[in-house]
Amino acid sequence: MNVLWIFAHPEPRSLGGSLRDEGLRTLRAQGADVRESDLYAMKWKAVVDADDFGRAASTERLIVGSTSKDAFRTGELGEDIRAEHEKLAWADTVIFQFPLWWYGMPAILKGWFDRVFVKGFAYGVQRPDGRTARYGEGALAGKRAMVVLTAGAPEATIGPRGVNGEIGDLLFPLQHGTLWYAGMSVLPPLTICGADRVSPEQYEAAAESLRERLRTLSTQDPIPFRRQNGGDYDDALVLRDELAPGRSGIGVHLAG
Ligand SMILES: Cc1cc2nc3c(=O)[nH]c(=O)nc-3n(C[C@H](O)[C@H](O)[C@H](O)COP(=O)(O)O)c2cc1C
């Protein structure tokens, strides 16, 4: 198993940092090959800017919409992005670990997706029938992804009637809109709640749940998101009326 661990936390001595160390140790002990992108330690450039659009290298006028999309094809991507592509191509499993910040991922990780998941690498693949391969198929199909998350909120508040909403809803932009969109199979996330005050016993329980999830990485069932091209959606990519009848919202994109 080739596992790439993407870590987005500024402080290695944090709870997140300890869990990352625990995770890497566990994977190595079970014989996995492991590589890491520690985004803060790498001083990852989080914002797409003019350099990414090749402006520095060219005096040619850029036409909006034809820039970053084509950079992969024309080989103009920066070295830092190409290094991440090489790691992703190598990996069969990718862990994304971060603290929940304002209901989402830290900006540095969002910027990693903005800069790394470019057309031609992560999306934009055409099928032989002319349809676009996405949501369950595409450039990164065959790889597994899992989110490991710490959240300050207590467990009861992240749930069907909890004030924070359900974890699957909070993570929908990442798990469905990004990872599944690019074709990756997404395993259920591991969420460590109440993460701002953790006793030694609670830490050990969190570490054990992480170890358990890592031991079964290759056998866990992914979240059953519906495939775009599997017949559940019409030509306008709207879920067919007979599926999840009368229901709407994020949950309808789960089969069963
Ligand atoms: C900028 C910021 C935003 C946060 N937003 C949330 C949030 O939306 N929901 C939540 O449950 N916790 C939130 N928290 C709490 C963090 O999730 C929590 O401090 C972290 O997961 C604890 O792990 P750590 O010690 O490794 O940082 C936020 C913390 C910060 C600093």
Side-chain angles (χ1 to χ4, degrees):
M1 197 163 45
N2 290 350
V3 184
L4 174 60
W5 195 292
I6 310 287
F7 179 62
H9 198 298
E11 176 50 70
R13 292 164 301 174
S14 59
L15 171 65
S18 302
L19 291 172
R20 181 269 313 265
D21 295 345
E22 190 73 45
L24 295 181
R25 239 189 335 266
T26 304
L27 287 169
R28 291 195 173 108
Q30 65 195 37
D33 287 316
V34 185
R35 295 170 73 183
E36 188 189 2
S37 292
D38 181 341
L39 301 186
Y40 282 92
M42 291 158 64
K43 300 197 189 314
W44 177 259
K45 187 181 101 176
V47 180
V48 176
D49 64 12
D51 288 343
D52 292 319
F53 280 71
R55 219 183 278 171
S58 168
T59 53
E60 221 175 287
R61 186 152 190 265
L62 295 171
I63 299 161
V64 173
S66 68
T67 50
S68 70
K69 289 189 191 155
D70 290 330
F72 181 65
R73 194 170 46 77
T74 57
E76 290 167 6
L77 292 171
E79 212 170 296
D80 57 348
I81 297 174
R82 282 187 278 123
E84 296 307 293
H85 285 177
E86 187 271 315
K87 289 186 211 173
L88 279 166
W90 166 87
D92 50 56
T93 307
V94 187
I95 308 290
F96 296 93
Q97 189 201 344
F98 54 92
L100 189 65
W101 283 0
W102 296 121
Y103 273 33
M105 63 184 103
I108 200 168
L109 180 55
K110 175 60 166 58
W112 183 89
F113 282 108
D114 291 347
R115 297 187 61 237
V116 172
F117 270 38
V118 292
K119 188 177 185 186
F121 181 80
Y123 72 98
V125 178
Q126 295 298 313
R127 295 164 23 124
D129 66 2
R131 300 187 79 156
T132 304
R134 49 170 122 79
Y135 291 114
E137 50 186 17
L140 301 182
K143 298 181 190 295
R144 303 188 136 221
M146 183 171 94
V147 171
V148 174
L149 183 74
T150 55
E155 198 163 345
T157 70
I158 302 183
R161 290 174 62 83
V163 70
N164 290 297
E166 299 209 53
I167 196 64
D169 293 357
L170 290 172
L171 294 177
F172 191 72
L174 170 59
Q175 295 191 142
H176 186 269
T178 308
L179 302 173
W180 179 242
Y181 182 95
M184 301 179 90
S185 299
V186 187
L187 302 178
L190 172 65
T191 310
I192 309 297
C193 297
D196 282 324
R197 278 172 300 275
V198 174
S199 67
E201 294 73 29
Q202 286 167 326
Y203 175 77
E204 188 39 46
E208 180 49 30
S209 30
L210 176 61
R211 288 191 292 265
E212 176 56 21
R213 292 298 306 276
L214 296 177
R215 274 195 288 269
T216 52
L217 261 188
S218 56
T219 54
Q220 287 160 44
D221 287 335
I223 300 171
F225 290 130
R226 298 179 190 276
R227 296 179 169 277
Q228 173 186 288
N229 298 319
D232 290 357
Y233 297 94
D234 65 17
D235 287 344
L237 303 186
V238 175
L239 193 64
R240 295 188 184 284
D241 286 343
E242 63 272 23
L243 299 170
R247 288 172 48 212
S248 61
I250 284 170
V252 303
H253 301 294
L254 294 171

